[in-house]
Amino acid sequence: MTHALTCTKRSSGGCPTRAGRAGVCAMQRCALDAVARCLRLASLALLLIGVFPGADAWCATLGGPLGWPLTRPARVLTGGFGEARSNHFHAGLDLSTGGRVGAEVHAPADVWVERVRASGVGYGRSLYLRTADGRLLVFGHLDAFSAGVAAFVDSVQRATGDYEQDLWPPERRFRYAAGARVGWTGQSGAGPPHLHVEVRHGDFALHPLLAGLAVPDTVPPKLERLILEPLDEHSWVERGAAPYSRTLRTRADTLVVEGRARLTLVASDATNASRGLPVHALGARWDNAWVECRLDSVSWAGEMAQLGWLLDRGRVTGSDGVILDAPAGWRPRFLSSSRPEREAVELVQVAAGAPARALDLVARDAAGHEVTRRVWLRGPLAHERGPASPRSRVPAHRKRRARASAPAPRWGFACLPDQRVRVRVSGVDVSLGDVRIERGLTRGTPDDGAVATWDGAAWSAVLHVSGTPDPEGFWIRGKLASGKEWLHRGAYALWPTATSMVGRLEQWASFSIEPDQAYESGVAMVRAAAIAGVPRGATGVRAALHLLPVQPPLRRPARVTLALPAEVASEHVGLYRRDGDADKWEWTDATFDSTAHAFRAESSRLGQFALLRDMTPPAVTVLAVPA
């Protein structure tokens, strides 16, 4: 296996600093110009790697091979580089220890200890080992350090009376030859038992399987599913407005697409001993243009959040697939395209009547194995243009079943480029005819409403909603079998984002997403609701602010402000957030503005926000010490 590194951005700063407790895997932000440091090392050959197509040749080498740090014969991975965790980019590999604590950890090369940490969160007990060629090897979640390092950490803990330590021993004080024992595996910081391994260089976390570590791998990645998402009110996939998902087979399928569509590709990787790993590179080619997402490395200074722009964690269907698209002016470092950065990627655009053309999809793993699939896309014929008639697509038995047990309508929203929004309403009678989703505040333009299509579970439509805020939000209208009109209003106000406008709700709640904070312009849906799901011992203050969609693509966090009633004191009150009704409320690191008598917080995820008063003291539970 050869090794590769891509560095295309610069970063600088002060001395290394400790991340906050909630940082989990974001433990270090190095104060280096990463590219300059790489170039200073004589042992490092740094080349920018070509992108799809023709990215098969890994032409750069970073250091030499590294020994495997565990003695287990099977090199099993339970987590891979670039895996999306709940709140961070997984910047390393998780090595299985067979579910047990206490496996010996060995130095993969001649190393010295540059840094050692002891913490109850994040990486727990962790070692940072420097190699002669400049790589930094990080071992996290250890149960114990080797004797010399353990005594060093213990002496500082006893002297300070503080378990939490982030220490930088004198240079080369603790040195280990390749193969020497440096500690034992555990589950400190976060369980279950495993060993977290990273390979860093300067300000970059490198894909460990491209930077020295190796596992037996003769298994190619798997392309599982393609999702095509209509991007405006004049675009349809298989005559529907909702994202269309197709399982990828060895034989090529043909799909009918009209207008603009965004690609999301779902894939997985495997090694000889592991399954369900993230794929190193995914790409697509259409009509002599191409796009590729490749996870070689990531900078700790500002690039961790960029994976959230590309992963479907709720932006499309919640597939965890990679969104092979980017707006004009912003291009995540992981994403490359034949189109210039000043233009949106928007790979697929199909005109009515266009003949079938091949959409080629590719997945490549870190060992160089590659798999391809082909899907044919054609424009609609004259009788296939526009949305399909919902009545013809819903079987009669499903109509009868839905009429018998139709729940209350539930509204969902997804941001699309250029201030488009996809509105999805479930819990509505599937036997309705002439269904439309419309803006409540009519402006007298054709964009005020759109025909809704049935996707098998809900009605969907794409609307263009740029302009002023709309307190009336959206309505869904249709006709019953009797011919009588049926309608329902979604209790959400509409606020455009990526403007200098501050969104307000009843004067006690506000939010703002400035133009430089948004990855692409969008729309937020806002409403007030009763606070529900409050944990025992806490009480809600006033009402909750609901902001949808939960995960809009943001370059920087949105600002949310909730004001306390004048007669309520701020003691024991905090600003909490959760994704939805089924989730638990989580405390946010909000600040209290005594002048405005309000709490202010920044959040990269929207959802539900509320002020809760917690008068219950914390509970301490004594656990049995493991053997």
Side-chain angles (χ1 to χ4, degrees):
M1 181 187 298
T2 53
H3 316 287
L5 166 68
T6 57
C7 296
T8 59
K9 288 192 177 179
R10 297 165 63 88
S11 59
S12 60
C15 295
T17 57
R18 181 185 300 187
R21 282 178 170 267
V24 188
C25 277
M27 302 291 293
Q28 175 177 319
R29 183 165 294 180
C30 295
L32 300 168
D33 183 317
V35 177
R37 179 169 181 175
C38 289
L39 293 175
R40 282 199 301 267
L41 294 171
S43 61
L44 175 65
L46 177 63
L47 298 175
L48 293 182
I49 301 169
V51 293
F52 177 84
D56 301 314
W58 303 116
C59 54
T61 301
L62 177 62
L66 297 172
W68 196 251
L70 300 178
T71 54
R72 296 191 72 210
R75 299 186 178 186
V76 180
L77 305 179
T78 58
F81 184 85
E83 193 172 286
R85 301 296 174 86
S86 59
N87 59 354
H88 65 281
F89 179 110
H90 191 242
L93 303 177
D94 285 344
L95 278 54
S96 172
T97 61
R100 69 185 186 94
V101 172
E104 291 188 355
V105 180
H106 302 279
D110 293 343
V111 295
W112 53 276
V113 177
E114 182 173 284
R115 182 184 180 193
V116 57
R117 297 189 78 246
S119 176
V121 297
Y123 289 173
R125 301 180 188 90
S126 53
L127 275 175
Y128 296 70
L129 307 175
R130 181 70 69 180
T131 66
D133 59 15
R135 284 173 290 180
L136 185 68
L137 312 179
V138 183
F139 293 157
H141 310 303
L142 299 174
D143 186 63
F145 306 119
S146 62
V149 174
F152 170 71
V153 174
D154 181 70
S155 65
V156 178
Q157 289 173 328
R158 291 177 181 275
T160 61
D162 189 0
Y163 173 80
E164 296 276 335
Q165 298 294 332
D166 188 355
L167 307 175
W168 299 72
E171 185 171 339
R172 302 181 187 276
R173 175 175 174 180
F174 301 107
R175 304 177 65 176
Y176 297 95
R181 185 177 61 208
V182 298
W184 289 264
T185 63
Q187 54 185 338
S188 60
H194 69 284
L195 179 65
H196 176 83
V197 178
E198 291 178 17
V199 181
R200 301 182 183 180
H201 203 289
D203 197 35
F204 283 83
L206 312 177
H207 195 313
L209 297 181
L210 297 172
L213 288 178
V215 296
D217 186 359
T218 59
V219 183
K222 183 179 180 181
L223 280 167
E224 299 172 353
R225 202 151 34 100
L226 168 68
I227 300 171
L228 286 169
E229 178 185 18
L231 286 181
D232 60 38
E233 61 277 20
H234 307 297
S235 299
W236 319 92
V237 177
E238 289 291 301
R239 305 190 71 187
Y244 182 87
S245 179
R246 174 59 63 99
T247 300
L248 294 170
R249 306 177 180 91
T250 53
R251 63 178 178 84
D253 292 320
T254 300
L255 303 177
V256 178
V257 177
E258 181 176 358
R260 306 157 57 205
R262 179 159 60 186
L263 302 178
T264 298
L265 201 51
V266 181
S268 63
D269 191 22
T271 68
N272 293 3
S274 310
R275 298 292 183 270
L277 301 173
V279 176
H280 169 236
L282 288 169
R285 177 192 284 277
W286 162 263
D287 196 22
N288 296 320
W290 56 265
V291 60
E292 185 190 49
C293 176
R294 192 174 70 243
L295 299 177
D296 286 341
S297 60
V298 61
S299 170
W300 291 98
E303 290 184 354
M304 290 293 177
Q306 291 187 14
L307 192 66
W309 305 347
L310 295 176
L311 285 182
D312 175 22
R313 305 303 300 274
R315 286 183 59 195
V316 185
T317 64
S319 65
D320 275 343
V322 175
I323 303 171
L324 295 174
D325 193 25
W330 300 111
R331 195 63 55 82
R333 191 173 68 84
F334 311 114
L335 199 71
S336 299
S337 173
S338 58
R339 295 207 167 106
E341 190 170 313
R342 65 178 179 275
E343 299 177 8
V345 172
E346 286 189 13
L347 192 67
V348 172
Q349 300 186 46
V350 187
R357 285 179 290 178
L359 172 65
D360 290 315
L361 310 172
V362 61
R364 189 182 306 108
D365 66 15
H369 304 302
E370 184 175 286
V371 63
T372 61
R373 290 289 182 269
R374 172 168 286 185
V375 177
W376 293 90
L377 306 181
R378 67 170 177 86
L381 303 177
H383 68 281
E384 297 172 316
R385 297 201 60 184
S389 169
R391 285 186 182 275
S392 65
R393 300 182 66 182
V394 182
H397 72 278
R398 295 192 63 179
K399 296 179 183 179
R400 291 192 298 269
R401 188 189 311 158
R403 282 195 294 268
S405 59
R410 295 182 299 277
W411 292 74
F413 308 95
C415 287
L416 299 176
D418 308 319
Q419 290 200 325
R420 262 81 177 179
V421 61
R422 187 175 65 251
V423 184
R424 187 174 188 269
V425 188
S426 59
V428 176
D429 193 341
V430 303
S431 65
L432 288 173
D434 301 328
V435 180
R436 290 178 60 84
I437 296 176
E438 301 175 345
R439 286 187 63 158
L441 185 63
T442 302
R443 301 170 297 175
T445 69
D447 293 338
D448 286 341
V451 174
T453 62
W454 178 257
D455 64 8
W459 297 94
S460 298
V462 175
L463 288 88
H464 187 201
V465 291
S466 61
T468 58
D470 184 350
E472 296 296 321
F474 292 105
W475 296 74
I476 181 170
R477 302 175 184 272
K479 288 186 178 180
L480 300 171
S482 63
K484 183 179 179 181
E485 185 181 19
W486 176 92
L487 59 87
H488 180 268
R489 179 194 171 193
Y492 290 88
L494 182 160
W495 284 86
T497 63
T499 72
S500 297
M501 187 183 305
V502 176
R504 297 193 178 278
L505 182 66
E506 301 178 8
Q507 301 304 312
W508 58 269
S510 65
F511 74 97
S512 64
I513 302 175
E514 298 287 341
D516 63 345
Q517 292 176 269
Y519 176 58
E520 60 187 16
S521 60
V523 179
M525 310 302 159
V526 191
R527 72 165 182 168
I531 301 176
V534 178
R536 182 179 300 178
T539 56
V541 179
R542 190 178 266 148
L545 168 69
H546 288 198
L547 272 174
L548 295 179
V550 172
Q551 193 168 1
L554 298 176
R555 295 176 56 228
R556 290 193 292 111
R559 291 184 288 272
V560 177
T561 301
L562 297 186
L564 275 171
E567 68 277 8
V568 177
S570 63
E571 285 75 20
H572 303 291
V573 175
L575 198 160
Y576 289 72
R577 195 207 72 86
R578 64 178 182 176
D579 283 354
D581 294 339
D583 302 298
K584 295 181 179 179
W585 289 101
E586 296 182 353
W587 179 82
T588 67
D589 191 14
T591 58
F592 181 69
D593 184 340
S594 58
T595 302
H597 203 58
F599 284 89
R600 307 183 192 278
E602 293 188 343
S603 179
S604 295
R605 295 177 67 86
L606 303 184
Q608 301 180 11
F609 297 85
L611 297 177
L612 303 181
R613 180 187 294 277
D614 185 2
M615 300 298 294
T616 305
V620 177
T621 302
V622 179
L623 301 177
V625 178

